[in-house]
């Protein structure tokens, strides 16, 4: 999608220099910085500090991380250790493990003359596939928005949480793809953007994305969605996912669950958009999902521009207070109206998920 009318993807590889390029998402929306990843360590660190984030994008970054590992030291022990470190760089989004496993399977047993090219092609393929899947997710999700518009005959108000936009994927996004398709088809839309504390991915990234595509949007605090739903100002909720169990429970950015509860209480459709790489086919009890706990500094400090226009980070909590920073929560399947995937829309239900998405 576009930044200031120029088309970008979130990650790309420069063959001449053997460098992976990413957009540093910790600086958006105030600064637009393209960063170089030269080693697998760079890729691991970048995922950890969330210069790249969002389930599909961290998967793609890990795939390119393995390409960088091969360039550095094409030795099986080093590659296995790199794969392990990449998987452990963030624990919740399953796309990370999915992408690393896919890369390792592809290069296993390949001779050293061919390994780099095969790995590079696979990393590119993961990215191309994700772009295609996100585009199709948008086409399926478009129909839901179109149906609401046909009944309402007025602006469709969509509430979204965190950033499941193109910045979280390679292009298009998951939850935003239906929004972009509906906007392109001329359906009048307005998006309520949950700020998404503590890192403000909604305010900093989703609103920024939507502004760049000229889609009307309003940032709200994470606690505002409930009253908007009660007042009839929300027609549907549309969010992404970091890990969806094959039983239909959805793990996504902290606060998603509370939005789903409010939507359920107000009979507002609550949809989750995800590529099949986000499905966890192993865990069946959501309590077993590893929930990332991040540094408390993300709560107690906040980034912003000072009066001189410089990006600064300031303390906002009492110095002596304790805080707890859980990054994800789980929305049980009963609160979800449907899953929008590249293969179509299904109920958040084990039988439907297996029949639509398994193989
Ligand atoms: O901690 P983040 O910013 O990586 O979390 C991202 C989310 O929770 C997104 O909603 C999710 O990854 C879906 S991305 C298409």
């Amino acid at each position: 999608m576009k930044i200031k009318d120029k088309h970008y993807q979130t990650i790309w590889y420069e063959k001449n220099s053997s460098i992976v390029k990413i957009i540093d998402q910790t600086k958006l929306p105030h600064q637009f910085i393209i960063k170089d990843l030269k080693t697998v360590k760079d890729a691991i660190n970048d995922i950890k500090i969330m210069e790249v984030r969002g389930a599909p994008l961290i998967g793609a970054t890990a795939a390119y991380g393995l390409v960088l590992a091969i360039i550095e030291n094409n030795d099986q022990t080093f590659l296995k250790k790199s794969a392990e470190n990449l998987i452990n760089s963030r624990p919740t989004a399953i796309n990370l493990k999915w992408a690393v496993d896919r890369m390792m399977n592809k290069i296993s047993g390949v001779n050293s003359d061919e390994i780099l090219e095969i790995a590079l092609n696979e990393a590119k393929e993961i990215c191309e596939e994700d772009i295609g899947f996100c585009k199709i997710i948008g086409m399926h999700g478009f129909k839901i928005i179109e149906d609401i518009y046909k009944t309402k005959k007025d602006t469709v108000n969509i509430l979204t949480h965190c950033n499941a936009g193109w910045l979280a994927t390679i292009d298009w996004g998951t939850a935003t793809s239906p929004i972009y398709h509906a906007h392109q088809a001329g359906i009048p839309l307005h998006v309520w953007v949950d700020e998404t504390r503590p890192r403000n991915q909604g305010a900093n990234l989703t609103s920024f994305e939507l502004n760049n595509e000229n889609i009307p949007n309003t940032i709200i605090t994470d606690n505002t969605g409930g009253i908007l739903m009660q007042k009839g100002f929300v027609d549907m909720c549309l969010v992404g996912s970091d890990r969806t169990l094959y039983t239909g429970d959805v793990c996504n950015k902290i606060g998603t669950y509370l939005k789903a509860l409010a939507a359920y209480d107000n009979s507002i459709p609550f949809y989750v958009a995800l590529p099949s790489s986000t499905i966890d086919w192993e865990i069946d009890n959501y309590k077993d999902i590893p929930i990332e706990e991040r540094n408390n500094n993300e709560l107690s400090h906040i980034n912003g521009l000072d009066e001189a226009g410089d990006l600064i980070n300031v303390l906002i909590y009492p110095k002596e207070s304790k805080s707890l920073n859980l990054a994800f929560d789980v929305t049980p399947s009963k609160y979800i109206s449907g899953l929008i995937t590249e293969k179509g829309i299904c109920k958040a239900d084990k039988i439907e998920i297996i029949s639509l998405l398994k193989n």
Side-chain angles (χ1 to χ4, degrees):
M1 307 302 289
K2 286 177 286 185
I3 296 180
K4 288 192 180 149
D5 290 326
K6 184 169 176 209
H7 182 261
Y8 284 94
Q9 292 180 359
T10 50
I11 189 165
W12 63 99
Y13 181 76
E14 272 190 4
K15 207 162 185 180
N16 299 341
S17 55
S18 307
I19 285 175
V20 176
K21 300 270 188 183
I22 58 106
I23 298 169
D24 178 355
Q25 301 196 18
T26 61
K27 301 291 186 302
L28 290 173
H30 304 299
Q31 294 173 353
F32 179 70
I33 294 171
I34 293 176
K35 269 194 74 169
D36 292 350
L37 307 184
K38 296 179 181 161
T39 64
V40 64
K41 222 173 170 179
D42 288 347
I44 291 166
N45 186 47
D46 211 62
I47 295 170
K48 278 188 181 160
I49 62 174
M50 293 176 66
E51 286 181 345
V52 291
R53 28 68 52 203
L57 178 57
I58 59 178
T61 308
Y64 275 120
L66 280 173
V67 170
L68 295 173
I70 293 168
I71 295 170
E72 271 175 274
N73 180 1
N74 184 7
D75 160 80
Q76 277 304 311
T77 315
F78 180 69
L79 294 185
K80 277 195 185 132
K81 190 70 200 154
S82 300
E84 203 180 299
N85 292 340
L86 282 162
I87 289 174
N88 292 332
S89 57
R90 288 193 74 191
T92 302
I94 190 121
N95 308 58
L96 199 48
K97 182 172 177 340
W98 170 87
V100 170
D101 288 350
R102 176 166 160 175
M103 291 291 291
M104 290 305 276
N105 284 339
K106 194 77 190 180
I107 61 179
S108 94
V110 169
N111 70 47
S112 55
D113 299 342
E114 293 174 326
I115 192 167
L116 179 58
E117 195 170 337
I118 289 180
L120 195 50
N121 286 342
E122 194 64 8
K124 278 188 190 149
E125 177 65 26
I126 286 174
C127 292
E128 288 306 316
E129 200 178 274
D130 190 69
I131 296 170
F133 286 177
C134 284
K135 188 169 179 190
I136 299 171
I137 285 170
M139 286 149 70
H140 292 307
F142 162 74
K143 293 191 199 111
I144 299 170
I145 299 174
E146 190 185 37
D147 283 348
I148 294 174
Y149 179 59
K150 278 185 183 155
T151 312
K152 192 181 175 193
K153 296 184 179 60
D154 202 352
T155 301
V156 180
N157 286 298
I158 300 171
L159 185 143
T160 192
H161 191 70
C162 194
N163 172 260
W166 73 269
L167 289 163
T169 63
I170 316 302
D171 208 346
W172 287 102
T174 54
T176 53
S177 186
I179 294 172
Y180 292 137
H181 278 83
H183 177 70
Q184 285 170 9
I187 293 179
L189 294 169
H190 168 260
V191 184
W192 296 111
V193 178
D194 277 355
E195 177 188 35
T196 320
R197 285 281 293 147
R199 293 185 66 106
N200 296 343
Q201 291 96 324
N204 291 345
L205 306 176
T206 305
S207 181
F208 168 79
E209 274 191 23
L210 295 170
N211 293 343
N212 275 285
E213 297 293 329
N214 298 313
I215 298 180
N217 68 92
T218 307
I219 300 168
I220 51 176
T221 71
D222 297 330
N223 298 322
T224 305
I227 182 107
L228 293 177
M229 292 187 211
Q230 287 174 327
K231 284 180 176 287
F233 295 154
V234 179
D235 298 306
M236 77 183 281
C237 298
L238 186 47
V239 300
S241 170
D242 288 86
R243 184 185 296 235
T244 295
L245 301 191
Y246 73 97
T247 57
D249 298 332
V250 168
C251 183
N252 192 48
K253 181 53 58 192
I254 193 85
T256 305
Y257 171 44
L258 298 181
K259 286 304 131 64
L261 287 178
Y264 191 76
D265 191 44
N266 290 283
S267 305
I268 291 164
F270 186 96
Y271 281 93
V272 182
L274 63 137
S276 49
S277 53
T278 307
I279 301 279
D280 184 331
W281 294 105
E282 282 167 20
I283 293 181
D284 53 16
N285 184 342
Y286 73 79
K287 291 184 181 153
D288 294 334
I289 298 174
I291 300 291
E292 180 176 16
E293 183 176 342
R294 294 188 60 86
N295 197 303
N296 299 17
N297 281 347
E298 293 181 351
L299 294 181
S300 58
H301 290 68
I302 199 158
N303 278 344
L305 294 184
D306 67 9
E307 280 174 9
D310 293 324
L311 193 57
I312 55 164
N313 184 262
V314 294
L315 172 71
I316 54 171
Y317 283 1
K319 264 193 193 133
E320 51 289 333
S321 293
K322 282 205 300 188
S323 52
L324 172 69
N325 186 8
L326 297 181
F328 299 95
D329 63 21
V330 183
T331 302
S333 59
K334 65 180 171 186
Y335 299 118
I336 298 167
S337 312
L339 304 177
I340 310 170
T341 78
E342 78 275 9
K343 292 195 180 157
I345 299 170
C346 69
K347 285 201 187 120
D349 157 280
K350 186 166 154 180
I351 295 171
E352 288 211 11
I353 291 173
I354 292 175
S355 102
L356 183 70
L357 298 172
K358 190 99 176 151
N359 302 315

